[in-house]
Amino acid sequence: MFICMESINNIFSELSGILWGWPMIILLLGTHLYLTIRLRFPQRKVFTAIRLSVKRDKGAAGDVSQFGALATALAATIGTGNIIGVATAIALGGPGAVLWCWLTGVFGMATKYAEGLLAIKYREKTSDGRMLGGPMYALEKGLGWKWMAVLFALFTALASFGIGNTVQANAIATIADETYNISPYLTGGVVCALTALVVLGGVKSIARVCGMLVPFMAFFYVAGCIYILIVNSQYVWPAIQLICESAFRPEAAGGGFVGATVMMAARFGIARGLFSNESGLGSAPIVAAAAQTRNPVRQALVSSTGTFWDTVVICALTGIVVVSSIIAYPDISYDNGATLTKMAFSKIPYVGAPLLSFGLLTFAFSTILGWSYYGERAVEYMKGRRWMLVYRVLYIIAVFVGSIVNLAVVWNFADCMNALMAIPNLLALLFLSRILVSETRKYLWSGRLDEE
């Protein structure tokens, strides 16, 4: 059995390496750049988008508020990748990877904008009044590619059990065990029960909990990072300089990063940025379709703020905290992302270790909640609503399983499913770019955001 699992793990590991190689990175980053230019830099409307995200669009059709949809998307997006993922990029590509990760977030806002627009444009209203949408509907209704829409839904459902569920539950159980010596079985049972309480209530329950949890966890994590930067104040500017210089001149990093190259910094920074903010993956527009909004562009702008908060703010803060800690404490190990993160935060007296534990625990749990909705909608698209309860029960069980088993093979499997989700979604964005331009011209460029 061990040999069989190891063989399966090796297969998915190799496939993941192929799928997330340079062709995928070029496709994703190329789409970010193309849509940024084609849509005339929608990033410049970020403050308008933030204002809309906290303003209820009264009377508009939808299941949840725009903020509720954004909070659910952020819950699924803000995860362990924002902490350990950033440190992994630094460990593998040097400090310069932080800049590439940040730039990916800046340009990825255009892609997330486009995804949100198509989600509203092609959403459907069910007989019981619910709103359904996402890349599968854009592929089917916008391009007539029903078969590819089904494939996207299948990959989404499978991915929800991986990166959205078991690996997050495992992260929570590991933290509880290593930090507080709590049995993974006990942790698994508690997280499983909490997940059931929220998930069985449907999208409104998920959105309500995420609407409370996301601002709370993000505020405390950002505040904690700012405190650490104040403690490391004399190293913050040198850290920023090092990040910028080593992105294009890796020898500037020195120390344990002398093996890094520009290509390595770019590759790992871009890959971690894409993996963190999920721009182009096609997950966030599934919940964006449920938002109460009077026109597609309003929700498109709100959706774009998800990438802004996730990568442009949180990932950047994490990166500067880690790099400034490396400069302040040269004895920190660069072996891997998890070790680097733990050692960097633990060097900060009083708040470092608790902040890391709190961030990982809350980020991982919120991801479980957000991805449950994605998977549920994907299953409903393929099999109808009668399978939703079955999916919810299996999803809840998977939380417990993920807490107590080794998940190396699941990580690689999930990476593969995420890549296979991205491909049809990116094709939909590129082939429907004329629709994106038309809707943006109608509402944004002409100053008619308040019209239906």
Side-chain angles (χ1 to χ4, degrees):
M1 178 66 72
F2 176 77
I3 296 174
C4 179
M5 289 300 293
E6 187 176 15
S7 298
I8 294 174
N9 184 45
N10 290 336
I11 291 172
F12 281 119
S13 179
E14 291 181 10
L15 181 59
S16 175
I18 294 171
L19 290 173
W20 284 105
W22 275 109
M24 174 61 78
I25 290 176
I26 291 171
L27 175 61
L28 275 164
L29 191 58
T31 301
H32 290 352
L33 293 170
Y34 172 75
L35 292 175
T36 293
I37 297 171
R38 188 85 196 270
L39 298 173
R40 300 181 187 176
F41 291 83
Q43 295 92 330
R44 59 193 171 88
K45 296 291 184 178
V46 64
F47 294 110
T48 299
I50 293 172
R51 176 177 58 81
L52 291 174
S53 69
V54 295
K55 182 179 179 182
R56 183 175 290 275
D57 208 348
K58 296 181 180 179
D63 301 332
V64 296
S65 67
Q66 289 179 312
F67 179 76
L70 173 64
T72 303
L74 276 172
T77 303
I78 299 176
T80 54
N82 294 82
I83 303 176
I84 295 178
V86 173
T88 298
I90 295 170
L92 296 173
V98 176
L99 179 62
W100 289 106
C101 178
W102 185 79
L103 288 173
T104 300
V106 172
F107 291 110
M109 290 174 63
T111 299
K112 192 65 73 75
Y113 168 93
E115 290 176 324
L117 194 157
L118 292 182
I120 300 298
K121 177 69 176 178
Y122 292 108
R123 68 180 178 179
E124 293 182 352
K125 189 174 184 178
T126 63
S127 57
D128 58 354
R130 295 177 301 119
M131 289 294 187
L132 303 178
M136 51 276 204
Y137 293 90
L139 286 163
E140 179 185 353
K141 297 172 67 176
L143 295 171
W145 295 352
K146 174 71 174 181
W147 63 276
M148 191 171 284
V150 172
L151 283 178
F152 174 86
L154 174 62
F155 297 143
T156 301
L158 292 173
S160 71
F161 285 99
I163 195 64
N165 182 318
T166 50
V167 297
Q168 305 297 333
N170 189 261
I172 293 173
T174 300
I175 296 164
D177 185 24
E178 293 181 353
T179 308
Y180 306 106
N181 200 30
I182 299 175
S183 168
Y185 288 89
L186 178 59
T187 302
V190 172
V191 177
C192 186
L194 291 174
T195 302
L197 286 173
V198 180
V199 169
L200 292 176
V203 63
K204 292 185 178 181
S205 174
I206 295 171
R208 184 170 59 253
V209 173
C210 290
M212 294 185 292
L213 180 61
V214 169
F216 174 77
M217 71 183 192
F219 171 79
F220 276 95
Y221 181 74
V222 170
C225 284
I226 292 173
Y227 171 80
I228 292 175
L229 292 178
I230 292 173
V231 173
N232 285 348
S233 58
Q234 61 180 314
Y235 305 105
V236 171
W237 181 245
I240 294 173
Q241 287 181 309
L242 181 61
I243 288 169
C244 295
E245 290 175 5
S246 57
F248 306 100
R249 189 166 57 87
E251 63 272 14
F257 300 107
V258 291
T261 65
V262 172
M263 295 295 283
M264 289 172 64
R267 177 186 174 186
F268 291 111
I270 291 170
R272 287 300 95 189
L274 295 171
F275 191 79
S276 172
N277 60 52
E278 297 182 9
S279 294
L281 190 63
S283 52
I286 296 175
V287 69
Q292 296 168 340
T293 184
R294 69 187 72 177
N295 63 62
V297 170
R298 287 175 73 92
Q299 182 55 36
L301 288 169
V302 171
S303 294
S304 71
T305 65
T307 299
F308 173 78
W309 294 119
D310 175 88
T311 307
V312 178
V313 176
I314 295 179
C315 283
L317 277 174
T318 302
I320 297 172
V321 164
V322 172
V323 176
S324 64
S325 297
I326 290 171
I327 297 174
Y329 309 101
D331 60 318
I332 290 179
S333 171
Y334 309 143
D335 291 344
N336 59 69
T339 302
L340 179 56
T341 304
K342 188 173 183 179
M343 294 188 70
F345 277 81
S346 65
K347 292 290 185 179
I348 307 303
Y350 307 116
V351 303
L355 173 65
L356 178 60
S357 298
F358 173 81
L360 289 172
L361 287 169
T362 54
F363 286 10
F365 181 65
S366 69
T367 299
I368 292 174
L369 299 182
W371 268 92
S372 70
Y373 181 78
Y374 297 160
E376 188 176 301
R377 293 285 78 81
V379 169
E380 182 175 5
Y381 179 81
M382 292 186 291
K383 292 292 186 179
R385 197 176 184 187
R386 63 186 181 277
W387 285 87
M388 287 168 57
L389 181 60
V390 175
Y391 171 82
R392 289 176 183 175
V393 172
L394 292 175
Y395 193 85
I396 292 166
I397 294 172
V399 171
F400 183 79
V401 174
S403 301
I404 61 175
V405 300
N406 187 295
L407 295 176
V409 66
V410 178
W411 264 109
N412 290 318
F413 173 77
D415 280 347
C416 293
M417 293 304 102
N418 284 344
L420 292 172
M421 284 174 61
I423 293 171
N425 178 58
L426 292 171
L427 290 176
L429 293 173
L430 293 173
F431 280 94
L432 292 173
S433 60
R434 58 183 179 80
I435 300 296
L436 296 171
V437 172
S438 175
E439 293 292 312
T440 302
R441 178 182 295 111
K442 179 179 179 181
Y443 294 106
L444 185 60
W445 298 343
S446 60
R448 298 163 59 189
L449 271 178
D450 294 330
E451 297 184 12
E452 296 184 3

